[in-house]
């Protein structure tokens, strides 16, 4: 057994572990050890399909100390005119630079890839190299940080929840750009069955359509319809002040005036905050997936949408679904987008004595939440106060749960605003979507000051209506 020492041992060098480590290194003189079973930094992004992109602008994703992307707007495509969305390979290469140019370059970070954390004890933790099998015990002087709470499942690595019989072809979306290889030995597939209704399935359908697949060649198996965030409302450049900050005020107004959950979403749709693909249906799912209006228009071209629940089995001539059977042309290619990027885990305190469990503190900003947790760890001592500042925000799985998400978001926001040093840090933090946008408004700019005043007033009115919506969410 090898022996080592550190101040903070972080399990997981994905977006969460890296954003936490980056802020800790910037705000303290601590030594940090990162351990991850992946061979490269970036966690699940290493396993993603090649046409994946961020849902959100690159401008506020990653770690606090290093910009992601070049601040450009997309000149073409379905995101045209809006801030660039880093692709999966770009995110991986960014996290590589973070590791080498920021973290390792500080001289205060050790990184152990292809290593599993296999146990914790009173002194620290033990990790094992996947390559040599050698174990190292790390004595931890301050805290053990669990940065694996989110650990989303992705199609290429998840365990399928359905069986696949002989003759059925099922691939992860990672296989789509390489379809020409399937066509080497015979005709390329010309019938596609996309399984799943989340963002990955939306991406796979969009990719197939944009690549030239006729819409009627796609069957889309949708267990639940989903609301999606309108990407226009997430833009954070000054030219997007009205849709972003005015849009926030509109959303707060919807929360202030809604009578129940469906009414809330219809109001959010009416003000342009939310979109749905099929306007004839009332979705029950909301996972904070984000699309542009142009993407939604493209997805509306798919007419063969099957709503018979989840798939349980696939064979050469059809699919067994929870609520019925679907015949499928032999030779169809099934694209498995059923991995659950949102795992349900009950929230727990972030600060637990020797342990820190990094969670969501402002939905949907995972990077910001991790950096903020590290800032609190660096600047506060009292555990109860730290936990008050870092109340975990539940990740929504349904339309009703989103009301809880917003309620906890607002409570955190209120407490942060009462801490002057924290407020100051948040205002300059690149990971905070709108902080710099609102902080940068000129006092003499009457129009924008009016928008800020409206936002404040509507947020107060929304708070007053939250008990009614929470009760409605409870009964939903
Ligand atoms: C397709 C997709 C797009 C997304 N887009 C966005 C977006 O635009 N904006 C946004 O904020 N979020 C987005 N998300 C959410 C995303 O989950 C987070 O942004 C983030 O990447 C999650 O990172 P993580 O570090 O928490 O988890 P992971 O990336 O899963 O990293 C956890 C790491 O822990 C390691 N690990 C686990 N257990 C151990 C152990 N015992 N020992 C050693 N290592 C261990 C794993 O190997 C892994 O590398 C997206 C998610 C998906 C799937």
């Amino acid at each position: 057994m090898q022996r080592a020492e550190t101040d903070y041992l972080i399990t997981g060098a994905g977006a969460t572990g890296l954003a936490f480590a980056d802020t800790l290194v910037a705000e303290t003189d601590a030594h940090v050890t990162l351990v991850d079973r992946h061979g490269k930094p970036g966690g699940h992004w290493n396993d993603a399909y090649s046409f994946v992109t961020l849902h959100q602008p690159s401008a506020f994703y990653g770690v606090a100390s290093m910009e992601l992307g070049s601040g450009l707007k997309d000149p073409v495509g379905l995101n045209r005119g809006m801030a660039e969305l880093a692709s999966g390979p770009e995110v991986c290469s960014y996290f590589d630079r973070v590791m080498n140019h920021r973290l390792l370059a500080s001289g205060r970070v050790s990184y152990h890839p292809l290593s599993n954390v296999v146990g914790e004890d009173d002194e620290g933790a033990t990790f094992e190299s996947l390559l040599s099998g050698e174990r190292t015990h790390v004595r931890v002087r301050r805290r053990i940080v669990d940065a694996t709470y989110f650990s989303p499942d992705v199609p290429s690595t998840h365990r399928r929840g359905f069986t696949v019989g002989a003759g059925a072809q099922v691939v992860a979306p990672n296989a789509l750009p390489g379809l020409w290889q399937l066509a080497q030995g015979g005709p390329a597939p010309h019938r596609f069955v996309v399984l799943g209704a989340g963002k990955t399935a939306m991406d796979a359908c969009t990719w197939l359509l944009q690549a030239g697949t006729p819409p009627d060649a796609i069957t889309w198996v949708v267990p639940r319809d989903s609301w999606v965030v309108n990407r226009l409302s997430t833009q954070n450049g000054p030219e997007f002040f009205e849709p972003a900050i005015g849009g926030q005020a509109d959303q707060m107004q919807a929360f202030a005036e809604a009578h129940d959950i469906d009414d809330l979403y219809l109001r959010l749709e009416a003000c342009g905050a939310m979109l749905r693909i099929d306007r004839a249906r009332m979705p029950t799912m909301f996972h904070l997936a984000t699309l542009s209006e142009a993407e939604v228009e493209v997805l509306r071209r798919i007419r063969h949408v099957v709503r018979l629940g989840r798939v349980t089995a696939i064979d050469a001539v059809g699919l067994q679904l929870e609520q019925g059977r679907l015949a499928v042309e032999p030779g169809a290619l099934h694209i498995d987008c059923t991995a659950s990027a949102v795992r349900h885990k009950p929230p727990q305190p972030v600060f637990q004595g020797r342990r820190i469990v990094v969670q969501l503190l402002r939905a949907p900003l995972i990077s910001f939440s991790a950096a903020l947790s590290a800032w609190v760890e660096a600047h506060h001592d009292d555990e109860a106060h730290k936990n008050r500042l870092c109340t975990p925000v539940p990740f929504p799985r349904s339309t009703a749960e989103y009301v809880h998400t917003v309620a906890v978001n607002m409570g955190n926001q209120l407490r942060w605003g009462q801490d002057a040093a924290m407020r100051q840090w948040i205002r300059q933090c690149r990971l905070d979507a709108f902080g710099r946008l609102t902080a940068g408004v000129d006092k003499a700019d009457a129009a924008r000051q009016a928008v800020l005043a409206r936002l404040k007033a509507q947020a107060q009115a929304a708070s007053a209506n939250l008990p009614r919506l929470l009760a409605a969410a409870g009964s939903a």
Side-chain angles (χ1 to χ4, degrees):
M1 173 99 74
Q2 298 283 323
R3 306 227 163 247
E5 285 196 19
T6 194
D7 292 311
Y8 290 86
L9 181 125
I10 303 180
T11 308
T16 301
L18 294 171
F20 188 95
D22 175 75
T23 298
L24 205 56
V25 166
E27 300 288 331
T28 70
D29 58 5
H31 183 271
V32 177
T33 298
L34 279 150
V35 182
D36 197 306
R37 60 171 74 117
H38 273 90
K40 305 273 277 175
H44 75 84
W45 291 103
N46 289 292
D47 310 316
Y49 42 100
S50 64
F51 53 92
V52 72
T53 67
L54 287 172
H55 300 208
Q56 63 165 82
S58 307
F60 49 96
Y61 189 82
V63 305
S65 74
M66 193 186 272
E67 294 289 338
L68 167 58
S70 43
L72 295 174
K73 295 203 183 63
D74 280 1
V76 294
L78 301 174
N79 189 51
R80 193 172 62 181
M82 288 190 271
E84 63 185 321
L85 313 168
S87 66
E90 279 177 290
V91 173
C92 287
S93 117
Y94 166 81
F95 281 138
D96 244 358
R97 276 191 296 125
V98 167
M99 180 59 81
N100 292 315
H101 292 268
R102 282 285 193 269
L103 299 181
L104 297 179
S106 73
R108 289 191 279 125
V109 175
S110 329
Y111 169 47
H112 301 274
L114 289 172
S115 299
N116 252 328
V117 173
V118 288
E120 291 178 24
D121 55 44
D122 292 345
E123 292 278 292
T126 301
F127 68 83
E128 182 178 88
S129 162
L130 294 176
L131 298 180
S132 67
E134 186 166 59
R135 289 192 164 200
T136 303
H137 183 266
V138 186
R139 192 170 83 78
V140 179
R141 290 184 288 262
R142 290 188 59 83
R143 314 242 188 262
I144 296 175
V145 181
D146 179 356
T148 67
Y149 179 86
F150 301 114
S151 298
D153 273 339
V154 294
S156 62
T157 55
H158 87 131
R159 187 177 303 163
R160 289 177 185 149
F162 53 86
T163 57
V164 180
Q169 286 197 84
V170 182
V171 296
N174 305 49
L176 291 180
L179 275 184
W180 62 273
Q181 289 169 328
L182 279 183
Q184 295 290 72
H190 59 272
R191 181 91 230 159
F192 299 92
V193 183
V194 177
L195 309 169
K199 178 67 164 63
T200 304
M202 295 172 195
D203 284 356
C205 289
T206 308
W207 189 90
L208 283 168
L209 291 164
Q210 293 292 95
T213 310
D216 288 344
I218 300 174
T219 299
W220 190 0
V221 174
V222 172
R224 283 197 296 164
D225 284 68
S226 177
W227 286 101
V228 295
V229 174
N230 182 347
R231 188 170 296 129
L232 186 60
S233 69
T234 69
Q235 303 299 298
N236 72 339
E239 64 280 34
F240 291 106
F241 186 87
E242 187 43 52
I245 307 302
Q248 290 279 309
D250 293 340
Q251 289 182 47
M252 287 296 110
Q253 186 171 353
F255 273 88
E257 294 175 357
H259 306 293
D260 57 36
I261 303 302
D262 284 351
D263 182 38
L264 171 67
Y265 281 83
L266 292 175
R267 287 171 189 270
L268 290 168
E269 181 183 48
C271 72
M274 297 262 183
L275 304 167
R276 56 184 156 161
I277 296 165
D278 186 340
R279 278 173 291 212
R281 286 170 192 276
M282 185 57 84
T284 55
M285 178 162 93
F286 181 48
H287 286 177
L288 301 168
T290 304
L291 293 178
S292 68
E293 289 183 56
E295 282 169 319
V296 170
E297 280 304 326
V298 165
L299 290 170
R300 285 184 181 138
R301 290 163 53 200
I302 300 176
R303 292 184 303 177
H304 195 203
V305 179
V306 177
R307 294 183 174 87
L308 288 172
R310 294 186 175 165
V311 61
T312 57
I314 303 179
D315 56 47
V317 289
L319 272 70
Q320 188 59 46
L321 298 143
E322 286 168 325
Q323 291 147 33
R325 189 162 167 89
L326 175 75
V328 171
E329 224 174 274
L333 186 67
H334 300 81
I335 300 149
D336 175 18
C337 305
T338 62
S340 170
V342 183
R343 281 200 200 167
H344 180 61
K345 286 189 190 166
Q348 51 183 293
V350 171
F351 297 97
Q352 307 178 13
R354 291 264 293 160
R355 295 192 94 232
I356 297 175
V357 181
V358 187
Q359 293 159 79
L360 195 62
L361 305 181
R362 186 199 283 166
L365 304 179
I366 283 173
S367 309
F368 172 75
S369 303
L372 187 122
S373 312
W375 188 92
V376 170
E377 166 65 10
H379 293 279
H380 288 277
D381 287 323
D382 177 61
E383 181 159 302
H385 183 59
K386 285 158 82 171
N387 276 323
R388 268 194 300 280
L389 290 173
C390 297
T391 304
V393 174
F395 203 98
R397 290 167 300 165
S398 66
T399 48
E401 282 183 358
Y402 182 54
V403 178
H404 291 267
T405 305
V406 170
V408 184
N409 255 359
M410 289 176 75
N412 276 344
Q413 193 76 31
L414 195 69
R415 286 184 286 277
W416 300 343
Q418 289 159 356
D419 182 317
M422 195 167 185
R423 206 167 54 232
Q424 183 62 25
W425 179 80
I426 291 173
R427 278 203 180 142
Q428 54 74 48
C429 179
R430 66 168 283 268
L431 301 174
D432 177 29
F434 297 143
R436 285 189 291 185
L437 196 53
T438 51
V441 175
D442 195 325
K443 290 241 172 340
D445 187 336
R448 290 194 171 183
Q449 288 295 345
V451 173
L452 291 179
R454 193 166 81 79
L455 173 57
K456 195 170 169 193
Q458 292 300 343
Q460 279 165 358
S463 285
N465 196 36
L466 275 173
R468 172 160 69 165
L469 290 178
L470 286 168
S475 51

